[in-house]
Amino acid sequence: MADQSQKAETFELNNGTMNVLLTNLGCTIISLSVPGKDGVLCDVVLGLDSAESYQKGLAPYFGCIVGRVANRIKDGKFTLDGVQYSLPINKPPNSLHGGNVGFDKKVWEVVEHKKGETPSITFKYHSHDGEEGYPGDITVTANYTLTSSTTLRLDMEGVPKDKPTIINLAQHTYWNLAGHNSGNILDHSIQLWANHVTPVDENTVPTGEIMPVKGTPFDFTSEKRIGDTINQVGMGYDHNYVLDCGEEKAGLRHAAKVRDPSSSRVLNLWTSAPGVQFYTANYVNGVHGKGGAVYEKHAGLCLETQGFPNAINQPNFPSVVVRPGQKYQHSMLFEFSLE
């Protein structure tokens, strides 16, 4: 068990162009400021004022890393090597984002914090066998680095000790490229390099089907304003997209491009993961955020690259099982630009 006497503290990564504020509570991005067309820095992530506010559970997974397994596990049950495991049902009838006290609610150890041109910080957490119902000890690390003037890279790793387990980490930042307190993201446009989506049942769990997006409101294969079709998908988008058509560079594939017309800010996201949960903050409702901001429905959008939800119970989905001697790895690249 990690030593929870460690305090939740805040740390800064600053390269002179962009500035990121993080806390070791859940490896959470509290703020991320990048220039807009006027050169003015603007904070483009939803967040709270202090680490204490996050500890009180006031944020719906703002900015954090979720685990041991991101997204939903159907009925909180799975079988691994013939043994059935039961997880907390913290989002009835399913288990969500690692259970009642997932990785987002843990104080991680700060292994290293580097300043300079490519500043970085590395967080580490030991999750023990049986924690939140999951089998096996696993040591996880998360490294955030400003790799260029307007690029943030996240590398996540998980090393199991002596038992097989399941792991699927996701970065749950809510983005609003017009500024975190600018209103909703319906005028943002987005392109997703995904020809397929995994449709869900009434409890937001994938049915196992892999459905072409062509001719549906889920089609973002060419750039499209989010507000144009959001009313055709119930409360909003909250779906896992199959990243099957993005070009590759340096071992990562292009997942998404988000554009805000008002500031000219663009975010390009690259990942090593097979899927991305596109979520339009459908359940955010009067959350009191930093600087007096009040966040309402659709105040931000999440692009949570991930293994597919409920993959452990869907044999046709890519496996999320990691065995001793293997290593879980997941990298994300957030590239900001103006156009």
Side-chain angles (χ1 to χ4, degrees):
M1 183 85 189
D3 174 13
Q4 291 298 309
S5 65
Q6 284 173 272
K7 289 207 319 292
E9 298 178 81
T10 53
F11 305 88
E12 187 183 38
L13 300 179
N14 190 339
N15 60 10
T17 306
M18 70 186 289
N19 179 45
V20 184
L21 198 63
L22 302 124
T23 171
N24 55 329
L25 177 70
C27 301
T28 300
I29 297 175
I30 296 175
S31 71
L32 186 152
S33 300
V34 286
K37 62 183 174 192
D38 48 10
V40 173
L41 277 184
C42 190
D43 181 2
V44 296
V45 306
L46 276 54
L48 306 181
D49 269 322
S50 65
E52 293 74 52
S53 303
Y54 290 89
Q55 270 174 317
K56 289 179 191 151
L58 301 178
Y61 301 103
F62 283 174
C64 58
I65 289 179
V66 292
R68 181 175 306 198
V69 173
N71 219 300
R72 288 161 181 82
I73 293 181
K74 188 176 167 69
D75 301 329
K77 289 196 169 22
F78 70 94
T79 300
L80 179 59
D81 295 345
V83 181
Q84 190 177 61
Y85 297 92
S86 289
L87 309 171
I89 307 294
N90 61 317
K91 179 88 173 171
N94 304 305
S95 191
L96 177 70
H97 291 333
N100 293 321
V101 189
F103 292 1
D104 64 297
K105 295 175 182 67
K106 299 289 186 182
V107 177
W108 296 43
E109 179 192 343
V110 180
V111 182
E112 188 177 52
H113 185 197
K114 288 189 199 152
K115 304 251 164 46
E117 255 179 54
T118 53
S120 68
I121 191 162
T122 305
F123 300 109
K124 182 180 191 176
Y125 175 65
H126 294 280
S127 180
H128 62 82
D129 182 23
E131 185 178 312
E132 293 297 304
Y134 289 94
D137 284 271
I138 190 162
T139 300
V140 286
T141 55
N143 170 278
Y144 291 94
T145 304
L146 300 186
T147 51
S148 78
S149 62
T150 52
T151 304
L152 170 69
R153 184 179 173 114
L154 169 61
D155 294 293
M156 295 172 273
E157 222 168 66
V159 180
K161 188 174 164 192
D162 48 19
K163 267 172 92 167
T165 188
I166 60 176
I167 181 168
N168 180 18
L169 303 181
Q171 217 298 339
H172 209 300
T173 292
Y174 290 69
W175 303 98
N176 186 326
L177 298 182
H180 75 98
N181 56 352
S182 63
N184 67 51
I185 46 79
L186 299 181
D187 277 336
H188 282 46
S189 59
I190 190 169
Q191 183 172 359
L192 296 170
W193 276 268
N195 288 319
H196 298 82
V197 71
T198 51
V200 293
D201 65 16
E202 68 281 5
N203 297 313
T204 328
V205 175
T207 60
E209 187 194 348
I210 291 177
M211 179 185 92
V213 295
K214 195 173 164 60
T216 76
F218 298 103
D219 188 351
F220 289 96
T221 49
S222 50
E223 196 177 307
K224 185 176 81 178
R225 181 179 169 271
I226 294 169
D228 288 353
T229 47
I230 197 166
N231 295 328
Q232 299 169 37
V233 290
M235 293 235 349
Y237 291 96
D238 192 4
H239 296 79
N240 173 62
Y241 280 76
V242 180
L243 297 172
D244 53 11
C245 56
E247 58 170 320
E248 291 207 13
K249 81 169 174 195
L252 304 182
R253 62 166 74 92
H254 207 173
K257 175 185 179 179
V258 186
R259 182 208 303 263
D260 164 49
S262 68
S263 66
S264 302
R265 279 190 197 88
V266 171
L267 167 58
N268 276 284
L269 172 60
W270 302 72
T271 185
S272 61
V276 61
Q277 189 84 5
F278 173 43
Y279 172 54
T280 47
N282 311 327
Y283 302 106
V284 173
N285 178 6
V287 176
H288 288 265
K290 55 196 169 187
V294 179
Y295 304 126
E296 300 294 353
K297 188 176 177 181
H298 309 319
L301 64 91
C302 300
L303 292 165
E304 308 155 56
T305 68
Q306 61 181 3
F308 297 179
N310 196 38
I312 187 61
N313 294 314
Q314 289 292 356
N316 62 318
F317 284 2
S319 174
V320 291
V321 176
V322 184
R323 299 183 179 278
Q326 298 177 329
K327 190 189 276 188
Y328 165 85
Q329 282 176 308
H330 179 184
S331 295
M332 304 174 78
L333 197 64
F334 304 91
E335 291 183 324
F336 296 91
S337 58
L338 297 171
E339 51 176 75

